[in-house]
Amino acid sequence: MFLIALGNVLITLLYAAPGFALCKAKKVSADHLSTLSVVLVYICGPCMIINSFLKMQFDLNMLGEMGLFFAITFVLQCLFMGAMWLILRKKFSDGKYRVLTIGSAMGNVGFFGMPIVSAMLPDCPEAMCYSAVYVFSMNILTFTVGTFCLTGDKKYISVRGAILNPTTLGVAVALPLYIFGVGEILESNGFSVLTSAVELVGKMTTPLCMIILGIRLATVSFSRLFMRPLVYLTCLLKLVVFPLFCYFAVYFLPLTFAFKASILILSSAPCASVILNLAEMHSGETELAANSVLLSTLMCFVTIPLLALIL
């Protein structure tokens, strides 16, 4: 499990190299990152979620497990961020502490965690749907609490923000397709080109996400990236404390190995790139968000394989 995790994390990190090289060669500009972020969040991400459901055959028990996975991951994220708020509430007027709060719990579950969990649990196809459900639970919080933390504007904490976001809409499309077995119907009737198209766009998600991170890394001062204590604290919380908190919260529950392993692997993903994407779109604490995402992504090369040893 350690070597599988190590190899797949390394491959995922290598996707950032083209973006870094092109930016250093002045072939691309960081000024265009907000546009790429919109493509990633609004097109590639939903297609990735829809594809994961199209690949599964409908099972009522599995649907119940996905509901349970959603509830548990949603509650665990709320509890952890709530604890962070209690600790930091006197400093919450400062944007950097709000970024620390969301960065400590919200991970790159879909863009980074999903391919890792798929590689580490190849005999558990349900792990992909667990990943999609985790993305769903996280993004409800991201587009409400997360956007509030980046902007300081409470108007974003609303039912509208929780529902009208790309991930929720993607799940709203994917669930009926899963329940009615649309993927299997299309495949058996010669329309596999449609599912292949969705799969192809969905598979663009991880490379595009990492290329964006590579471009951002090329624009960052390494002294500022590695010399800010708050960034290291965010990484410690997200890469070590939060995944251990999540895993031991479910360890003694009567759940399957795939369920518990998915919780650990997905919660150990680096800080969510969507935090950076939203920071780019809303111009809020962009440097701290970028540094947290970048440094946690580099450091997870060590932390995810080590955490895999406890499975």
Side-chain angles (χ1 to χ4, degrees), residues 49-181:
I49 290 171
I50 292 170
N51 177 62
S52 66
F53 279 89
L54 284 174
K55 295 297 183 183
M56 288 281 293
Q57 288 187 334
F58 177 71
D59 181 278
L60 191 59
N61 291 330
M62 187 65 237
L63 187 63
E65 284 205 18
M66 284 192 285
L68 180 61
F69 200 92
F70 167 82
I72 288 176
T73 53
F74 186 84
V75 169
L76 289 175
Q77 289 172 95
C78 288
L79 287 174
F80 199 83
M81 287 191 292
M84 291 297 300
W85 176 81
L86 287 173
I87 295 168
L88 300 172
R89 64 186 183 279
K90 293 182 179 179
K91 299 180 179 180
F92 222 63
S93 58
D94 189 334
K96 63 177 177 286
Y97 291 103
R98 298 197 301 269
V99 172
L100 171 63
T101 299
I102 58 174
S104 66
M106 294 180 178
N108 204 347
V109 178
F111 306 154
F112 198 100
M114 190 176 282
I116 302 298
V117 81
S118 176
M120 292 180 66
L121 302 171
D123 299 324
C124 304
E126 66 270 23
M128 287 295 286
C129 285
Y130 289 153
S131 304
V133 168
Y134 196 145
V135 174
F136 180 34
S137 71
M138 190 196 77
N139 275 274
I140 289 176
L141 295 170
T142 299
F143 286 93
T144 52
V145 176
T147 310
F148 157 67
C149 286
L150 288 169
T151 63
D153 193 338
K154 292 183 180 179
K155 74 178 183 181
Y156 290 104
I157 301 180
S158 65
V159 174
R160 182 178 182 274
I163 296 174
L164 296 180
N165 66 72
T167 301
T168 303
L169 295 176
V171 172
V173 172
L175 270 178
L177 298 179
Y178 168 66
I179 292 170
F180 294 106

Side-chain angles (χ1 to χ4, degrees), residues 88-294:
L88 300 172
R89 64 186 183 279
K90 293 182 179 179
K91 299 180 179 180
F92 222 63
S93 58
D94 189 334
K96 63 177 177 286
Y97 291 103
R98 298 197 301 269
V99 172
L100 171 63
T101 299
I102 58 174
S104 66
M106 294 180 178
N108 204 347
V109 178
F111 306 154
F112 198 100
M114 190 176 282
I116 302 298
V117 81
S118 176
M120 292 180 66
L121 302 171
D123 299 324
C124 304
E126 66 270 23
M128 287 295 286
C129 285
Y130 289 153
S131 304
V133 168
Y134 196 145
V135 174
F136 180 34
S137 71
M138 190 196 77
N139 275 274
I140 289 176
L141 295 170
T142 299
F143 286 93
T144 52
V145 176
T147 310
F148 157 67
C149 286
L150 288 169
T151 63
D153 193 338
K154 292 183 180 179
K155 74 178 183 181
Y156 290 104
I157 301 180
S158 65
V159 174
R160 182 178 182 274
I163 296 174
L164 296 180
N165 66 72
T167 301
T168 303
L169 295 176
V171 172
V173 172
L175 270 178
L177 298 179
Y178 168 66
I179 292 170
F180 294 106
V182 173
E184 190 175 359
I185 293 171
L186 290 173
E187 292 280 350
S188 60
N189 286 278
F191 292 99
S192 59
V193 64
L194 295 176
T195 57
S196 296
V198 174
E199 181 179 12
L200 182 61
V201 177
K203 285 185 174 180
M204 288 169 55
T205 302
T206 299
L208 181 58
C209 169
M210 297 307 295
I211 287 171
I212 290 172
L213 288 176
I215 295 170
R216 172 57 64 187
L217 183 62
T219 66
V220 170
S221 165
F222 279 82
S223 61
R224 294 182 67 84
L225 175 61
F226 291 104
M227 298 302 292
R228 296 188 66 181
L230 200 63
V231 176
Y232 284 97
L233 178 57
T234 304
C235 293
L236 174 65
L237 290 167
K238 181 66 199 71
L239 299 178
V240 180
V241 180
F242 180 66
L244 290 176
F245 164 74
C246 291
Y247 184 63
F248 288 110
V250 300
Y251 183 79
F252 296 102
L253 297 178
L255 302 168
T256 64
F257 170 78
F259 195 107
K260 295 177 183 179
S262 296
I263 288 275
L264 177 65
I265 298 165
L266 295 171
S267 63
S268 65
C271 295
S273 59
V274 72
I275 297 174
L276 174 56
N277 301 147
L278 290 172
E280 297 277 3
M281 289 188 276
H282 294 288
S283 302
E285 291 290 344
T286 305
E287 183 183 351
L288 179 59
N291 288 355
S292 297
V293 173
L294 290 169

